[in-house]
Each structure stands twice: as C-alpha cells, then as structure tokens.
Amino acid sequence: MLRIAMCTFLAAVLPLSAQPQNAASAVPDDQQVLALYERSLQLIEASGIASPELGRAGVPLAENMRQAMESLKFLGIRNPQLHYRFMTNLHAFVLISDTVPKPVPFPEIGRLQLAELRDNLGKIELYFQQQIAGLQAELRSPDRDETARYRDANTSLPAPDPRNPRVVFLGDSITDMWRLNEYFSGKDYVNRGINGQITSQMLARFQADVVLLKPAAVVILAGTNDIGRGVNPSVIQNNLTMICDLADLHKIKVVLASILPVSDHHKNVNPMWERTKLRPPAAILEMNKWLQALCEKRGYTYLDYYPAMAAADGQMASNLADDGLHPNPGGYRIMAPIATAAIEKALGPANGTQPAGRKRRLF
C-alpha cells in the first residue's frame, strides 16, 4: 500500500514523457527558467518520498532555492546573484543525490526524477552563462549610464509653464518607483529615477534628464546604492558636488535629500532583506551629515526624510518598507509632504516670485 502511494505521488510530479530532456537544448527564457525553478523544487520534494535520507539532506538547500526564487519574483528576474544562489544549491543537491545511500530497490520513477533534475541544472547553467554574458555586454555598452532611458519622454515633454514651476526628481529605484502624479496632483513634477543607479550614473545623465528639461528645481535622492556597493565616500561626495555645480551653473534650485534609513525587520521573510550589512546605518548617517553641511554651506534646501522614516531603533520603520529598503505606499505618504515643504522653501514665496514691495505713500 505504501509503495502504491509513493509511486502515485512520484508519478504526479513526473512529466508525461517520463524522459529526461537534453541539457544542450536551447537556452530558456526568463519565464521558462522560473518554471524550471518551480519544477526543480517539486522534484526535490518528491525525492523525500523515494529516499527519505536524501529528502532530509535536501531540506535546507530547497529552502535556499525557494527564497532565491521568491526574491527574483519580487526584485526582478535580472539578478544574476539570485540565479547563482539557486543554481549552486541545486548543484549541491545533485551532488548529494549521488552520495546518499538509496533504498534497494530504488524506484525507476525516482531515478527519472533525479535525471530530470540534472537536466534542469544543465539548462539553468546555460541561462546563467547568458546572464553573465549580458552583464559583460552591458558594461561595454556605449550607454552604460542609461542616458537613453528617458530620451523619448524628454523629447515629448512640453516647455515648462512659469505659473507651475517644473521640478525634476533625480534618483535611483526609490525615486523610480514613486508615482509622483498620485502624491503631487497638479504639479509639474518629473520623475527621472532609474533603478539601481549610483551617483556617477546620475552625474552622467544630468544634462539630458535635468538641465535640458529646464526645471526650476531638482530634488536629488542618491547614495544608498553607492554605499551598498562599497563606493568610497569621497567619490560619492565628489559626484554629488559636481551634480550640484551643474545645477548652479544652469540656475536650477537644489534640494538635496537625506539617504533613507534601511532595516533588517523583514529578513525572516527573505534573508536577502537583511539590509544593514551592505548599508550600515552609521555610513548612512555620516553621508547625511555631509549632505546637510553642503546645503548649509551653499544655501541649498536640505530635505531630511530620515527622522520621519526611522523607528526608535534607528532603522527604517517596519511598516514603511516591505523589504527594508524601498518605501511602500505608506512610506511615500510620509515622504510627500516633507518633499513639498522643501520644494516650496527652495522655490521661495509664491513659487519663486518675490513678494510685492509695499507701495510708497505719496502723502
């Protein structure tokens, strides 16, 4: 009876063909590789029926793979680090399957399951190699800084209306994900954030994405990715200083935003969301201190998000960012009025116009 139940379960997760495919077949696309990941997890689960000892050995590996897959779904498929994590854990499971003693006789269906896993691993390795090749091509790309991202949008943007001053929001994913029209109704606020960018890339596209749009002001929220990649603080400061120099040259009001806090509050949901390792709070606070000093020195407006976004422990409040880094709608609702106040301060009374002088009495 147990053998019948075991075979029924194994057959349920086995393809109808019950034949492993050739690993040298075409490289899977993004959706196909996610399907391969799902399938591989099913096969590993099934291995615990065919070989309980192998099943126990595969539990932590399968959990690592599942977390990597869920992170890819949330953060985006173009993340070689997460693909590598999935692939190496699957590779470890395949190696373990060759060494763990198996029941005798070992079911034929179980053998086919493991053969399919090896076939999946081969396809995943091909996909990963393609990802790395794509990254290398991107690094050699003539538009490494993504200056073309907003080219069409910039061309179609109408001239600014003096009665409704234009403000460009320049930044990374935190800006890119912010639906400005929902939080600043009726304002000519232009989003020029790009996911994953560092300050050197923003400097490279400042002319195209800010200066040529002729804004009255620019809101700059940058630096968290630089810190996360280990960029030297002096380099970050140099890039931001040059960005501000360009704004000054073109008479664009500067609003410099503090770097947002991060948190580890959601690492139990996904270990990839343990943010303070790559973005230490001390490093963020030190950079914010420099940003504020630059604003005081040059007369810029300092947009300080940090206190409103941080909890008592100094980390991002758990209810304001679901992944400990990117604000959720509640986080943006906190940020919006702070940004509004800073922009109004930078532009001056009545959107930058000087108050009318008192009329001189003639008698």
Side-chain angles (χ1 to χ4, degrees), residues 168-245:
V168 173
F169 283 62
L170 180 72
D172 46 46
S173 57
I174 295 173
T175 299
D176 198 358
M177 295 165 62
W178 197 349
R179 298 177 181 176
L180 299 181
N181 61 320
E182 295 182 8
Y183 294 83
F184 306 99
S185 179
K187 298 291 187 180
D188 187 8
Y189 289 178
V190 181
N191 192 321
R192 289 298 179 263
I194 295 184
N195 178 41
Q197 284 212 329
I198 57 178
T199 53
S200 60
Q201 293 174 300
M202 296 179 208
L203 172 61
R205 62 187 180 89
F206 192 81
Q207 177 75 11
D209 287 347
V210 180
V211 173
L212 295 182
L213 306 187
K214 302 186 182 304
V218 59
V219 176
I220 302 164
L221 176 55
T224 189
N225 290 331
D226 296 71
I227 293 174
R229 296 188 195 181
V231 177
N232 190 288
S234 64
V235 175
I236 304 173
Q237 294 167 8
N238 183 64
N239 292 335
L240 289 171
T241 299
M242 288 191 287
I243 286 174
C244 292
D245 287 344

Side-chain angles (χ1 to χ4, degrees), residues 11 52 56-57 85 105 121 141 145 148 185 192 195 197 220 226 249 265-266 275 314 330 340:
R56 287 192 294 271
R85 182 180 178 189
L121 177 59
S141 168
D145 301 315
S185 179
R192 289 298 179 263
N195 178 41
Q197 284 212 329
I220 302 164
D226 296 71
L249 178 65
H265 296 313
H266 303 282
R275 302 296 187 179
T340 296

Side-chain angles (χ1 to χ4, degrees), residues 344-359:
E344 289 177 352
K345 179 181 178 182
L347 293 178
N351 292 328
T353 60
Q354 294 299 320
R358 180 179 298 177
K359 292 183 178 179

Side-chain angles (χ1 to χ4, degrees), residues 23-81:
S25 59
V27 178
D29 61 25
D30 295 341
Q31 294 307 312
Q32 289 171 336
V33 85
L34 284 178
L36 281 173
Y37 289 174
E38 295 275 9
R39 176 64 180 162
S40 297
L41 286 168
Q42 291 177 353
L43 293 169
I44 290 175
E45 182 182 356
S47 71
I49 302 297
S51 173
E53 189 172 351
L54 177 59
R56 287 192 294 271
V59 168
L61 299 172
E63 182 59 26
N64 288 340
M65 293 160 64
R66 184 172 291 106
Q67 289 172 356
M69 182 179 67
E70 293 304 320
S71 294
L72 282 166
K73 292 177 180 178
F74 182 83
L75 298 174
I77 195 69
R78 300 296 180 181
N79 194 317
Q81 181 182 1

Side-chain angles (χ1 to χ4, degrees), residues 11-332:
V13 296
L14 194 68
L16 293 178
S17 65
Q19 294 294 329
Q21 300 176 9
N22 184 0
S25 59
V27 178
D29 61 25
D30 295 341
Q31 294 307 312
Q32 289 171 336
V33 85
L34 284 178
L36 281 173
Y37 289 174
E38 295 275 9
R39 176 64 180 162
S40 297
L41 286 168
Q42 291 177 353
L43 293 169
I44 290 175
E45 182 182 356
S47 71
I49 302 297
S51 173
E53 189 172 351
L54 177 59
R56 287 192 294 271
V59 168
L61 299 172
E63 182 59 26
N64 288 340
M65 293 160 64
R66 184 172 291 106
Q67 289 172 356
M69 182 179 67
E70 293 304 320
S71 294
L72 282 166
K73 292 177 180 178
F74 182 83
L75 298 174
I77 195 69
R78 300 296 180 181
N79 194 317
Q81 181 182 1
L82 292 172
H83 288 293
Y84 182 75
R85 182 180 178 189
F86 189 100
M87 182 181 67
T88 53
N89 279 275
L90 177 57
H91 188 261
F93 181 85
V94 169
L95 291 177
I96 290 173
S97 71
D98 291 334
T99 58
V100 170
K102 301 178 182 63
V104 179
F106 188 64
E108 176 66 10
I109 292 178
R111 186 189 68 78
L112 292 173
Q113 293 272 351
L114 294 178
E116 186 183 349
L117 268 178
R118 291 186 181 88
D119 180 53
N120 287 357
L121 177 59
K123 293 177 181 177
I124 290 167
E125 287 175 340
L126 287 175
Y127 176 87
F128 181 73
Q129 290 168 5
Q130 185 183 63
Q131 284 255 311
I132 296 301
L135 269 181
Q136 292 173 338
E138 184 178 320
L139 290 173
R140 295 191 296 267
S141 168
D143 191 24
R144 183 178 61 183
D145 301 315
E146 298 184 78
T147 57
R149 159 76 183 274
Y150 290 108
R151 182 178 296 160
D152 292 342
N154 290 342
T155 302
S156 61
L157 199 66
D161 183 348
R163 296 167 297 180
N164 187 17
R166 175 169 293 165
V167 178
V168 173
F169 283 62
L170 180 72
D172 46 46
S173 57
I174 295 173
T175 299
D176 198 358
M177 295 165 62
W178 197 349
R179 298 177 181 176
L180 299 181
N181 61 320
E182 295 182 8
Y183 294 83
F184 306 99
S185 179
K187 298 291 187 180
D188 187 8
Y189 289 178
V190 181
N191 192 321
R192 289 298 179 263
I194 295 184
N195 178 41
Q197 284 212 329
I198 57 178
T199 53
S200 60
Q201 293 174 300
M202 296 179 208
L203 172 61
R205 62 187 180 89
F206 192 81
Q207 177 75 11
D209 287 347
V210 180
V211 173
L212 295 182
L213 306 187
K214 302 186 182 304
V218 59
V219 176
I220 302 164
L221 176 55
T224 189
N225 290 331
D226 296 71
I227 293 174
R229 296 188 195 181
V231 177
N232 190 288
S234 64
V235 175
I236 304 173
Q237 294 167 8
N238 183 64
N239 292 335
L240 289 171
T241 299
M242 288 191 287
I243 286 174
C244 292
D245 287 344
L246 283 171
D248 289 344
L249 178 65
H250 294 279
K251 296 179 172 53
I252 301 170
K253 300 287 187 181
V254 173
V255 178
L256 268 180
S258 63
I259 299 172
L260 300 183
V262 297
S263 84
D264 298 332
H265 296 313
H266 303 282
K267 67 179 181 180
N268 291 333
V269 178
N270 188 330
M272 297 294 293
W273 296 345
E274 186 175 2
R275 302 296 187 179
T276 60
K277 284 186 176 180
L278 290 180
R279 295 171 171 85
I284 293 175
L285 288 171
E286 189 64 26
M287 190 57 62
N288 285 345
K289 183 179 177 181
W290 179 86
L291 288 167
Q292 186 172 14
L294 181 64
C295 288
E296 292 173 356
K297 178 180 178 180
R298 294 195 173 192
Y300 301 150
T301 300
Y302 181 53
L303 171 48
D304 195 1
Y305 291 127
Y306 197 100
M309 301 294 285
D313 61 0
Q315 297 189 31
M316 176 89 81
S318 61
N319 64 319
L320 299 182
D322 300 329
D323 64 354
L325 177 62
H326 301 93
N328 56 25
Y332 286 124

